[in-house]
Structure formats: C-alpha cells, structure tokens
C-alpha cells in the first residue's frame, strides 16, 4: 500500500460527499456536463491545510455520486498568482475560434476564472482540447479588467434569445453583480449592474444565474440568481441567498425584495450549478463549510467536503395559512435515487435495513427510546414524517430526537420540536455531545432552523456522512446543512425517541461510497 493509500484510508472521509486527496478545498468551480461526464473543479490549495494559493482541482463522475479525482486542471503560472473561482462552458459552435475543426463539439470546454495577482482581480479564459482534463490559457488574457481589487467569480451562460454569452462577475465590496455580454467569450461589453437587496454582509461572492423549472410544470421556468455573502451571514460567517426574477438579456430584475436563503444551515456556501446536464434539469452543489471556522475544523491530510449535488426546481411554499412564496426547492442526488432513474451506479450498493416502523404518540411527557439501529457504514440516510399528537390538546410542544452516535457514545443530536406555529429543527453538535476537544469560539454548539406549520405532517429526509449532516424538509422546501465532529470515531448508530409526536420512520439506507 502506498503512503497515499494509507493516508487516504486512515483519514476520516465521507463516503458519498466529495473530498480532495490532500490540502484545503473551498468553492466548487467550472461545473459542466459533457459526453456523459459530470466535471467538478474546485478551489484547491494543495500545499497547505488552510486557504492560500488556490488553483483548480478536478474530479469527474458518471452519476454525480461517485467521483474520480484527477490532477490539477488549471495551474497558477507563479507562486504569487492564484487561480480563483470561475466556471466552464461548452463552446460547441467555436464562437471563440479557440478550437480546430477536429475537436469534438462536446469537448470544446472553455474555463472562465479570476486571476488574483498583485492586488488586482481580472477575468481570464483557458481552453481545453481534451474534454476538460488540461487547459491552455488564452494568449490575450485578461479578457475583462476594470482595474479593481475585488472583482471576481465569473459565471458564464449562453443566452439563446439575445444570442450571446452572458457573464456575471461580483463587484464584491460595491455590492453589485456586473453583467457583461459577448459574442465570442473574448470581448466583453458591460450590460448592467444588479444592485441586490437582501443581506450585504462584508462582500458579495460567487454569483450564479440559472433558469429553473417549476416542480409541477417543467416547461415553466424562472431565472434565479444565487449570491453568496461572507462574512456577515444572518447565522454568522458565510451563506448563500437567492433572488427569483426575470432576465432579458441585459438586466436581471428580482420579483421582490424578500430575503431568500438557499440553505438554512451553517455549512453550505458558494453554491454553483452545472452549465449543462444529462436531462435538462438544473443541478448544483455547495461547499459544505463556512469561512467563519472552515480553516480550523479537525483535519489531518485534507480539509473540507462538498455538499451532495442537488436538483433545483421552483415551487410556491406556504409561509402561513394565507401567504405563500415562490421558493427554490433542493433535492439531494444519492446513489439510490440515481439508480431508480436508471443511471449507472458504478457498483454502489445501498441496502434497505428496515421497512417501516410507526411510533404512536405518547400522552405522557416522557421520552421513550423507540427505535435503534446499528450500521456498518458511516454514511446512511433516513426519512421520517412527524406530526404532533391530535389526541392530546394539552400538548403545546412535541419533540422527536434522533441521536446519531458512534461506538464511544459520542453523538450529534437532531431535535424536531413542533408547536402551534411550526417546527424547530435543531442540531446539537457541541462538544458535550460529540466529545470533541476541538473548540472554536464561532463554531456554535446548537444550530436551528424553523419551518412554518402549513401542513399536518412534516416530511424529513436526513443524510449523515461521517461529519456532514444534510436535512431536507417538506420535499426539498427547506435545506439545512451542518458539519459535526465526533471525537473518536464514525457515526454508526441511530436511536430515535419521542415525546408527544406521532412519527413514521422508514427507509433507513446505508450508503456506500
Ligand atoms: C469564495 C471565495 C471566492 C474566491 C475564492 C478564493 O469562497 O472567496 O470569492 O474566488 O473563494 O479561493
């Protein structure tokens, strides 16, 4: 076994979440699907365990769940220069003139990224002739320079109605998203600036524009602008907000000024979507960490993971009994789901451990342990539906606790607490539960999201993978992604107890990497 293999084996690694081989990883970059392959590039500082001198790491997948790592795809020309975040497009019509006739149409990948050098950020392009494994920088870079120190994270899409490439770039500390248009990816003309709304925090980063279909009517779509903020998120540190609206080829206009948060957890940042996909649906992914503490979390040879990829749709979500709000719906992509879609699973296996188990609501204010399951893997998912017990009108607050623990009884505790107005979903990842000696003043012990009561039952989907917990409520209407660090070993057991709720637990699946 090589040293690399040994390190890989000894390190704590999620099974179904992507991690780099070594060094520090942050944002997803260059997401593109071509010829049956999903490309995931990412910010990688591979010489150290904190952010430093990022370049583009690279991984590929055939099913969005099993990833193969490759060598760095875009390499900085010198130690003083960094390759910051950006995107990839497929220039199949060779609008850029960078490709020869012999390059397969689908192989014509162009990366658009920020070059961070000497206190200046400019936008550059590089092209690949081998389908995205190696890139050659364009000879006349930069392709966009406004002489600005904080001007970064280009996202490019092809806009069919106006027949041009559109690039969004964050003018980070001016709280603007610059929109630019181009016929050829090389010359860019300023079109407009989106001034935002919502939360500003310290700076804007990682804009992403996409046309998202409605859940119940795939032909009906609206434009969605994802915008990452760090630091200064309402929960602290980093978060991703979004705006829903229209884009006319020049200007994005938001349909209202309400703050919409994409994922209500602490650890989902810099979200981006794939330029193309296998089925015309919209898929995205986020960095499962937070700049508030992400460079300090327990780690040995590598630091941080991506979230699960998610499928994005839009749906009206009720806020209370009279008002609803158009919202971004996110559903995780998992091996089981892709299998049922008929996609290749690369030999992955998921096993259903249990059929279904029903817990009857208890009238006494007593916590009963009602469900216990041990797992051989450190990655598993389960679904449950809960509602407060109608038979007991005196109960104003009903609780279900799912305790996820390791063999040493260290745990992360998920509490679902229902009252008259809704449900709190709290994750206790504090050192008294996790046994973790690692402490950071800004790593909160308990994190919480709230879901309004708009239906009788709450449907909950939890994915646990080594140190990542992703929770989705009400068919992807709410997402809550948080890390937790058990001191001595991997999570392998789930135990559920309740007080005054009726609950059904079903589909506990072990996930295999
Ligand atoms: C967001 C970010 C980007 C930048 C990159 C540098 O997390 O700060 O704005 O391009 O990380 O690694």
């Amino acid at each position: 076994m090589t040293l690399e293999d040994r390190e890989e084996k000894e390190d704590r690694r999620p099974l179904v979440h992507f991690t780099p081989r070594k060094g520090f990883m942050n944002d997803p970059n260059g997401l593109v699907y071509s010829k049956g392959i999903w490309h995931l590039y990412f910010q990688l500082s591979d010489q150290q365990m904190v952010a430093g001198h990022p370049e583009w790491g690279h991984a590929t997948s055939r099913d969005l769940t099993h990833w193969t790592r490759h060598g760095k795809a875009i390499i900085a020309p010198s130690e003083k220069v960094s390759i910051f975040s950006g995107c990839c497009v497929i220039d199949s019509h060779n609008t850029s003139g960078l490709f020869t006739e012999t390059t397969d149409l689908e192989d014509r990948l162009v990366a658009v990224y920020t070059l961070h050098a000497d206190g200046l950020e400019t936008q550059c392009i590089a092209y690949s002739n081998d389908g995205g494994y190696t890139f050659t920088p364009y000879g006349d870079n930069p392709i966009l320079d406004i002489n600005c120190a904080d001007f970064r994270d280009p996202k490019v899409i092809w806009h069919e109605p106006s027949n041009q490439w559109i690039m969004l770039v964050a003018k980070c500390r001016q709280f603007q998203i610059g929109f630019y248009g181009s016929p050829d990816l090389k010359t860019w003309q300023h079109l407009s600036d989106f001034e935002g709304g919502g939360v500003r925090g310290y700076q804007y980063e990682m804009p992403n524009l996409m046309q998202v279909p409605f859940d119940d009517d795939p032909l009906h779509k609206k434009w969605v602008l994802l915008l990452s903020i760090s630091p200064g998120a309402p929960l602290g540190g980093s978060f991703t907000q979004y705006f829903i609206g229209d884009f006319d080829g020049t200007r994005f206009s938001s349909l209202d000024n309400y703050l919409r948060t994409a994922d209500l957890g602490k650890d989902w940042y810099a979200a981006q979507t794939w330029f193309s996909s296998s089925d015309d649906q919209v898929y995205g992914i986020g960095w499962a960490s937070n700049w508030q503490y992400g460079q300090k979390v327990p780690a040995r040879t590598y630091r941080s993971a991506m979230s699960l990829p998610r499928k994005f749709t839009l749906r009206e979500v009720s806020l209370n009994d009279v008002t609803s709000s158009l919202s971004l719906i996110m559903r995780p992509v998992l091996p089981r789901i892709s299998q049922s879609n008929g996609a290749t699973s690369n030999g992955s296996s998921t096993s259903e451990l249990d059929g279904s188990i029903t817990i009857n609501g208890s009238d006494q204010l007593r916590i009963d342990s009602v469900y216990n399951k041990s797992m051989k893997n450190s990655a598993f998912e389960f679904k449950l539906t809960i509602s407060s017990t109608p038979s007991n009108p005196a109960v104003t607050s009903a609780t279900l606790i799912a305790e996820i623990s390791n063999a040493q009884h260290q745990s992360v505790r998920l509490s679902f607490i229902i009252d008259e107005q809704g449900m709190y979903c709290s994750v206790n990842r504090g050192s008294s539960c996790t046994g973790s000696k690692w402490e950071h003043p800004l790593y909160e012990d308990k994190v919480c999201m709230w879901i309004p009561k708009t239906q009788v039952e709450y449907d909950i989907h939890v994915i646990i993978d080594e140190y990542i917990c992703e929770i989705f409520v009400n068919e992807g209407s709410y997402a809550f992604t948080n890390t937790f660090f058990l001191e001595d070993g991997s999570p392998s057991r789930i135990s559920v107890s309740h007080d005054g709720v009726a609950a059904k637990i079903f589909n506990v699946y072990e996930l295999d990497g």
Side-chain angles (χ1 to χ4, degrees):
M1 196 189 273
T2 65
L3 175 65
E4 283 201 354
D5 289 344
R6 196 157 346 122
E7 278 182 355
E8 174 100 34
K9 230 175 152 327
E10 284 169 5
D11 232 340
R12 276 204 205 163
R13 294 223 176 229
L15 285 175
V16 294
H17 288 77
F18 177 75
T19 54
R21 235 255 348 117
K22 74 179 189 89
F24 182 81
M25 176 179 78
N26 53 295
D27 318 345
N29 293 157
L31 307 177
V32 63
Y33 172 84
S34 154
K35 292 169 98 173
I37 293 180
W38 302 85
H39 292 268
L40 165 65
Y41 302 89
F42 47 89
Q43 287 286 280
L44 178 67
S45 302
D46 63 349
Q47 297 306 312
Q48 54 195 66
M49 292 290 283
V50 292
H53 173 57
E55 300 170 297
W56 279 28
H58 183 209
T60 54
S61 172
R62 292 198 165 270
D63 61 3
L64 278 179
T65 59
H66 300 84
W67 295 97
T68 305
R69 299 191 197 105
H70 303 285
K72 276 184 273 188
I74 305 186
I75 298 171
S78 86
E79 279 289 299
K80 296 204 175 90
V81 178
S82 295
I83 309 292
F84 270 17
S85 285
C87 63
C88 270
V89 300
I90 305 176
D91 183 19
S92 41
H93 292 114
N94 199 13
T95 63
S96 61
L98 293 168
F99 301 99
T100 58
E101 285 305 307
T102 52
T103 316
D104 191 288
L105 304 195
E106 290 297 298
D107 274 342
R108 297 174 178 183
L109 262 52
V110 179
V112 190
Y113 57 92
T114 299
L115 197 82
H116 173 93
D118 302 325
L120 194 67
E121 293 183 338
T122 57
Q123 315 321 315
C124 297
I125 56 175
Y127 55 98
S128 173
N129 274 310
D130 60 3
Y133 296 89
T134 58
F135 285 85
T136 309
Y138 169 54
D140 262 337
N141 276 332
I143 44 100
L144 186 59
D145 176 4
I146 60 165
N147 193 25
C148 182
D150 296 286
F151 178 55
R152 61 177 179 269
D153 307 339
K155 171 70 185 182
V156 177
I157 59 166
W158 174 254
H159 188 247
E160 193 67 49
S162 63
N163 197 36
Q164 62 179 335
W165 298 102
I166 299 289
M167 170 158 58
L168 286 71
V169 191
K171 297 176 180 175
C172 309
R173 298 181 196 182
Q174 297 162 43
F175 300 111
Q176 289 179 346
I177 301 302
F179 280 74
Y180 300 84
S182 171
D184 58 7
L185 295 166
K186 298 189 290 201
T187 49
W188 293 90
Q189 185 205 347
H190 183 239
L191 300 173
S192 66
D193 287 310
F194 177 68
E195 302 273 346
V199 172
R200 285 184 292 188
Y202 180 67
Q203 60 187 350
Y204 283 177
E205 297 184 316
M206 300 294 289
N208 186 90
L209 186 66
M210 64 219 189
Q211 229 184 343
V212 183
F214 280 63
D215 231 7
D216 53 357
D217 180 4
L219 295 179
H220 185 195
K221 297 179 180 179
K222 269 203 137 356
W223 290 93
V224 175
L225 174 60
L226 295 171
L227 185 53
S228 288
I229 308 295
S230 183
L235 274 186
S238 324
F239 91 125
T240 300
Q241 61 185 334
Y242 67 96
F243 304 92
I244 303 176
D246 290 315
F247 178 64
D248 63 4
T250 302
R251 193 170 291 282
F252 175 82
S253 44
S254 178
L255 69 100
D256 58 41
N257 276 325
Y258 294 114
L259 168 65
R260 288 175 170 82
T261 304
D263 185 300
L264 292 153
K266 287 282 310 210
D267 295 298
W268 201 71
Y269 190 59
Q272 293 287 297
T273 52
W274 268 268
F275 174 80
S276 39
S277 72
S278 53
D279 57 1
D280 268 345
Q281 302 288 322
V282 183
Y283 294 89
I285 197 167
W287 177 45
S289 191
N290 188 318
W291 281 116
Q292 200 175 42
Y293 47 69
Q295 299 182 79
K296 301 255 171 67
V297 297
R300 269 171 21 97
T301 56
Y302 79 95
R303 191 173 259 141
S304 87
M306 291 297 170
S307 77
L308 290 170
R310 296 174 182 183
K311 183 169 165 175
F312 293 165
T313 55
L314 290 173
R315 189 169 68 222
E316 286 285 341
V317 172
S318 299
L319 302 179
N320 52 39
D321 50 357
V322 289
T323 307
S324 67
S325 171
L326 193 57
S327 304
L328 188 62
I329 305 300
M330 301 197 282
R331 294 186 175 91
V333 179
L334 281 158
R336 183 171 52 86
I337 292 164
S338 54
Q339 271 173 8
S340 70
N341 281 347
T344 18
S345 71
N346 258 354
S348 88
S349 69
T350 55
S351 51
E352 190 168 358
L353 296 181
D354 243 74
S356 104
I357 165 166
T358 303
I359 311 165
N360 292 315
S362 122
D363 283 355
Q364 292 105 40
L365 292 176
R366 191 162 60 88
I367 304 276
D368 287 327
S369 197
V370 291
Y371 182 79
N372 264 299
K373 196 85 229 168
S374 290
M375 244 81 53
K376 70 176 187 331
N377 280 347
S378 55
F380 47 94
E381 64 166 331
F382 56 94
K383 293 189 178 180
L384 42 97
T385 54
I386 64 173
S387 53
S388 56
T389 327
S391 63
N392 184 3
V395 173
T396 52
S397 158
T399 304
L400 179 136
I401 292 173
E403 187 116 20
I404 316 296
S405 53
N406 60 13
Q408 291 74 24
H409 305 291
Q410 296 158 345
S411 67
V412 57
R413 181 183 295 181
L414 318 182
S415 304
F416 302 93
I417 301 168
I418 301 176
D419 67 13
E420 274 157 19
Q421 289 169 326
M423 178 177 74
Y424 294 92
C425 164
S426 149
V427 175
N428 186 342
R429 57 184 189 168
S431 48
S432 62
C433 270
T434 57
S436 184
K437 292 187 196 61
W438 171 74
E439 288 227 32
H440 187 286
L442 302 175
Y443 191 79
E444 301 87 339
D445 286 359
K446 284 184 189 155
V447 285
C448 186
M449 81 166 161
W450 179 75
I451 290 124
K453 180 181 179 119
T454 52
Q455 53 198 72
V456 179
E457 281 190 336
Y458 297 90
D459 126 84
I460 299 164
H461 182 187
V462 180
I463 296 118
I464 300 287
D465 190 6
E466 189 64 47
Y467 52 78
I468 303 161
C469 171
E470 297 191 45
I471 303 179
F472 299 88
V473 177
N474 292 352
E475 284 295 321
S477 305
Y478 298 87
F480 196 46
T481 302
N482 296 286
T483 51
F484 60 93
F485 297 94
L486 306 184
E487 179 73 17
D488 294 315
S490 305
S492 59
R493 190 179 174 81
I494 165 176
S495 146
V496 176
S497 53
H498 74 113
D499 169 8
V501 298
K504 271 186 274 174
I505 306 177
F506 54 94
N507 295 353
V508 180
Y509 287 98
E510 286 197 54
L511 301 166
D512 226 335

